[in-house]
Amino acid sequence: MIELKKIDRSNYEECINLKLEANQLKHVANNILSLVQSAYEENFYPLGIYNEKKMVGFILYDFDTEVKGWSMSRFMIDKNYQNQGLGTKALQKFLEFFKENYKDEKLYTSASLDNLQAIKLYEKFGFIKKDIFEYEINGEKFKEIRMILDI
C-alpha cells in the first residue's frame, strides 16, 4: 500500500539514498538539492513515497511563482522499484492528497521533452500539454514541456 510521508530528520537519509538509473539522471534533480531547496525556500514540500513501510520514491511540490500556481516539481521512483506500477500508484495517491488539501487549484508539472515515459504517465492522469520552455542552470540548457491538470 502506497503512503506519502513528509520528509523530516527521521527519514531524510532514506530520501538521499534513493537512486535512478544512469540514463534517468538528466530528467530529475538530485534529491539532496530538492531537500536543500525545501529547507531554504518558501512553499517547497518534500514527501517520501512509501510502499509497505519502505521509502521507494520522492515527490517535491511547491508554489511556483513563475506560473503562479502549484507544481509537482520532482517525482521519482528508486531504480530498484521501477516497472512495478508503483509510480502510477504514487501519482494517484499524490493527486488524491493534492485534491484534498488544495481544492479548486490547478497543478503543474513538467518533463524533459525526451522523457516520454513521464509524459505518458502524466497524460494518463489528465495532465494536458501546455507549452515548451527552456531554462539554464550552471551554463547547462534544458528544454521541457509544461503540463497542467485542472483539479
Side-chain angles (χ1 to χ4, degrees), residues 11 30 34 48-49 52 55 70 76 98 103 131 134 151:
N11 62 359
N30 185 295
S34 298
I49 301 167
E52 298 177 14
M55 189 183 294
W70 290 97
M76 63 85 71
F98 188 85
K103 292 176 178 45
D131 58 9
E134 295 181 34
I151 303 293

Side-chain angles (χ1 to χ4, degrees), residues 4 9 25 55 58-59 81 88 96 98 134:
L4 302 176
R9 79 177 32 189
L25 294 174
M55 189 183 294
F58 173 72
I59 293 175
Y81 301 97
T88 299
E96 290 168 5
F98 188 85
E134 295 181 34

Side-chain angles (χ1 to χ4, degrees), residues 94-106:
F94 175 73
L95 293 177
E96 290 168 5
F97 161 84
F98 188 85
K99 288 175 188 178
E100 186 177 303
N101 291 283
Y102 302 94
K103 292 176 178 45
D104 302 321
E105 294 280 347
K106 291 178 170 63

Side-chain angles (χ1 to χ4, degrees), residues 5-8 10-19 30-35 46-50 55-60 76 78:
K5 294 182 184 178
K6 291 180 182 177
I7 303 290
D8 58 25
S10 70
N11 62 359
Y12 77 93
E13 288 184 40
E14 284 179 276
C15 182
I16 290 170
N17 290 325
L18 296 172
K19 303 292 182 217
N30 185 295
N31 289 353
I32 293 171
L33 172 62
S34 298
L35 293 180
L47 298 171
I49 301 167
Y50 284 80
M55 189 183 294
V56 298
F58 173 72
I59 293 175
L60 179 73
M76 63 85 71
D78 182 274

Side-chain angles (χ1 to χ4, degrees), residues 134-148:
E134 295 181 34
Y135 60 97
E136 187 174 322
I137 298 176
N138 297 329
E140 188 174 356
K141 294 184 180 188
F142 298 90
K143 196 171 190 177
E144 295 189 1
I145 186 160
R146 183 176 289 124
M147 302 176 78
I148 186 167

Side-chain angles (χ1 to χ4, degrees), residues 15-49:
C15 182
I16 290 170
N17 290 325
L18 296 172
K19 303 292 182 217
L20 292 170
E21 296 290 350
N23 66 337
Q24 297 171 321
L25 294 174
K26 64 183 177 180
H27 297 304
V28 181
N30 185 295
N31 289 353
I32 293 171
L33 172 62
S34 298
L35 293 180
V36 169
Q37 283 180 305
S38 67
Y40 293 103
E41 296 192 32
E42 291 184 43
N43 298 317
F44 275 64
Y45 304 96
L47 298 171
I49 301 167

Side-chain angles (χ1 to χ4, degrees), residues 64 85 93 133 144:
D64 187 326
K93 189 70 155 181
F133 65 102
E144 295 189 1

